[in-house]
Amino acid sequence: MRQIAALPYTTAPDGSMRILLITSRDTRRWVIPKGNRIKGLAGHRAAELEAYEEAGIHGIACPASLGRYRYDKRKRNGSAREAMVEVFPLAVTGQLTQWPEQGQRELRWFPVAEAARAVDEPDLQAIIAAFREPPRQPGWFFRMLLWFRDKQSERTGMLSWFQALMPKQGRFFEQFEAHAVTLVAGADALARLLKGGPDMAQHIKTISDREHEADDIIREVLQDVRRIFVTPFDRSAITGLIGVMDDAIDQMNQTAKAIALFEVTDFPPQMQDMSAIIVECARITAETMPLLRSLNLNATRLHDLTERLVKLEGHADELHESGLKALYAQARLGNPMDFIVGSDIYSHLEKVTDRFEDVANEISGLVIDHA
């Protein structure tokens, strides 16, 4: 039996993440919203529907799944059948006051680690635990090595004395993390924008505001690169990483500007799915930033995250191609101008995902050079 499921999550302003779990109707154990596949409906769209029916939530479901898990589905006659469930991340944007299965289940938000421990299925535990891992803290032996290295540096004579006089209190890690926050907020607003509705102007303004905030951050980074004597990475690596992150939010803003210019209010599924991939890319980028503080300890996790970014960009390319084909077929029977406008929006969306692939490449380079 093949099923689909949504992994509903929300991120607080401080970067902490919560996972929504619900109880099953029969056994009352903690599960995620799931159900059978629906003919003619993509897996992530069906997962959105299950989340609405079982938990009364709506949000942005990424079309690229996180993985699969198995469980034994009990039948009313007492027999069991193995089910394979594909899990799609769902960025929750709202909670309804009424929904079909209201009162039949308990709903609770958990921190990621607690949510992983609350479910029974080992594969699902692994999927949830890997969704947002905290940065690893160095052990006592590694801390001792760092202390010894610092002490040795203190004995290098004139060079250490000269370095002590130079400014070296850069805030690069904080700046990376602050910029990632603008990416998450911009991506969320972009996905909401491509759903249409009466609040499109507000979403466009949100993207523009976040883009301005990102500009301020990259300006600070470039100033610090010039004035700080000792930097955590090569200066070209710092400017390269913050540069491609800034390019991503710039392209989100360009997408919003094109939508406003051409007064587009209706968006095909491929565009909406590309925006959902952008939301997932931004979430992953925000997770990678704190891990850069300890590259040696977090190299494996960074490799996994950058690999998913590259795969998401490939998925977005497929959506871009299929979307353009559908747009062209529709424009041949109607207004050719629709193809020109639509292809421009698709182009900006593709460039956003391309820039996130660039982020992955920059981080991979840091891991290779410094881990």
Side-chain angles (χ1 to χ4, degrees), residues 256-277:
K257 285 183 176 180
I259 291 171
L261 174 64
F262 297 120
E263 300 180 344
V264 182
T265 58
D266 189 40
F267 305 92
Q270 293 91 339
M271 283 188 186
Q272 295 180 354
D273 287 348
M274 289 182 74
S275 71
I277 285 180

Side-chain angles (χ1 to χ4, degrees), residues 65-189:
S65 70
L66 294 167
R68 298 176 177 84
Y69 73 93
R70 300 173 184 270
Y71 80 102
D72 291 330
K73 182 175 178 60
R74 298 290 176 181
K75 297 183 178 180
R76 293 182 179 179
N77 60 10
S79 62
R81 182 180 179 184
E82 185 181 71
M84 175 69 75
V85 186
E86 190 168 16
V87 181
F88 297 91
L90 177 69
V92 176
T93 58
Q95 172 80 50
L96 302 174
T97 57
Q98 294 182 333
W99 61 94
E101 297 184 16
Q102 186 174 9
Q104 301 179 26
R105 307 171 185 273
E106 182 182 350
L107 282 65
R108 185 184 304 175
W109 289 97
F110 291 84
V112 176
E114 292 183 18
R117 292 192 295 266
V119 298
D120 293 338
E121 299 80 8
D123 290 340
L124 180 56
Q125 291 176 353
I127 290 173
I128 296 176
F131 190 62
R132 172 63 69 89
E133 290 185 358
R136 293 180 58 190
Q137 299 299 320
W140 68 269
F141 182 73
F142 193 77
R143 293 198 303 270
M144 183 179 68
L145 288 178
L146 293 177
W147 176 85
F148 182 76
R149 184 196 66 182
D150 293 339
K151 288 298 180 184
Q152 288 296 103
S153 299
E154 293 175 1
R155 300 188 180 96
T156 56
M158 183 63 69
L159 179 60
S160 292
W161 178 83
F162 178 71
Q163 289 179 351
L165 297 178
M166 301 299 292
K168 56 182 179 180
Q169 300 300 318
R171 298 177 51 253
F172 296 111
F173 295 119
E174 291 87 347
Q175 290 160 340
F176 288 149
E177 292 166 19
H179 199 291
V181 170
T182 69
L183 290 176
V184 171
D188 176 76

Side-chain angles (χ1 to χ4, degrees), residues 45-357:
R45 299 291 186 189
E48 282 184 341
L49 183 59
E50 292 295 334
Y52 156 70
E53 292 180 348
E54 297 182 359
I57 54 175
H58 54 84
I60 304 159
C62 178
S65 70
L66 294 167
R68 298 176 177 84
Y69 73 93
R70 300 173 184 270
Y71 80 102
D72 291 330
K73 182 175 178 60
R74 298 290 176 181
K75 297 183 178 180
R76 293 182 179 179
N77 60 10
S79 62
R81 182 180 179 184
E82 185 181 71
M84 175 69 75
V85 186
E86 190 168 16
V87 181
F88 297 91
L90 177 69
V92 176
T93 58
Q95 172 80 50
L96 302 174
T97 57
Q98 294 182 333
W99 61 94
E101 297 184 16
Q102 186 174 9
Q104 301 179 26
R105 307 171 185 273
E106 182 182 350
L107 282 65
R108 185 184 304 175
W109 289 97
F110 291 84
V112 176
E114 292 183 18
R117 292 192 295 266
V119 298
D120 293 338
E121 299 80 8
D123 290 340
L124 180 56
Q125 291 176 353
I127 290 173
I128 296 176
F131 190 62
R132 172 63 69 89
E133 290 185 358
R136 293 180 58 190
Q137 299 299 320
W140 68 269
F141 182 73
F142 193 77
R143 293 198 303 270
M144 183 179 68
L145 288 178
L146 293 177
W147 176 85
F148 182 76
R149 184 196 66 182
D150 293 339
K151 288 298 180 184
Q152 288 296 103
S153 299
E154 293 175 1
R155 300 188 180 96
T156 56
M158 183 63 69
L159 179 60
S160 292
W161 178 83
F162 178 71
Q163 289 179 351
L165 297 178
M166 301 299 292
K168 56 182 179 180
Q169 300 300 318
R171 298 177 51 253
F172 296 111
F173 295 119
E174 291 87 347
Q175 290 160 340
F176 288 149
E177 292 166 19
H179 199 291
V181 170
T182 69
L183 290 176
V184 171
D188 176 76
L190 181 64
R192 293 171 185 257
L193 174 62
L194 267 68
K195 287 183 177 293
D199 298 327
M200 292 181 61
Q202 180 58 46
H203 299 322
I204 292 172
K205 183 179 184 302
T206 298
I207 296 170
S208 177
D209 291 344
R210 299 296 84 78
E211 193 268 340
H212 291 321
E213 291 176 9
D215 284 343
D216 293 337
I217 294 169
I218 192 173
R219 192 178 301 112
E220 292 175 3
V221 171
L222 296 179
Q223 289 173 352
D224 286 351
V225 164
R226 288 192 293 268
R227 72 180 183 86
I228 299 298
F229 184 74
V230 179
T231 58
F233 312 124
D234 296 338
R235 298 173 195 278
S236 60
I238 293 174
T239 57
L241 176 56
I242 199 68
V244 293
M245 291 172 65
D246 202 59
D247 289 342
I249 190 72
D250 285 345
Q251 285 300 325
M252 293 183 204
N253 195 35
Q254 290 299 318
T255 308
K257 285 183 176 180
I259 291 171
L261 174 64
F262 297 120
E263 300 180 344
V264 182
T265 58
D266 189 40
F267 305 92
Q270 293 91 339
M271 283 188 186
Q272 295 180 354
D273 287 348
M274 289 182 74
S275 71
I277 285 180
I278 291 170
V279 169
E280 178 70 353
C281 287
R283 180 193 69 80
I284 293 172
T285 300
E287 181 179 353
T288 63
M289 293 301 110
L291 304 181
L292 299 181
R293 295 173 182 265
S294 300
L295 284 174
N296 286 310
L297 295 173
N298 299 308
T300 300
R301 179 61 176 169
L302 285 168
H303 171 75
D304 294 340
L305 293 172
T306 53
E307 184 178 33
R308 178 159 172 81
L309 279 176
V310 172
K311 290 180 178 178
L312 287 168
E313 192 277 335
H315 197 145
D317 283 346
E318 296 174 1
L319 289 168
H320 177 233
E321 183 179 350
S322 64
L324 281 180
K325 287 182 178 179
L327 192 64
Y328 178 71
Q330 184 179 7
R332 290 179 63 183
L333 304 176
N335 184 2
M337 192 64 188
D338 291 341
F339 178 79
I340 297 174
V341 172
S343 61
D344 186 55
I345 297 174
Y346 271 120
S347 176
H348 289 304
L349 290 170
E350 184 193 25
K351 289 176 182 176
V352 177
T353 59
D354 286 344
R355 298 296 78 78
F356 278 114
E357 184 183 27

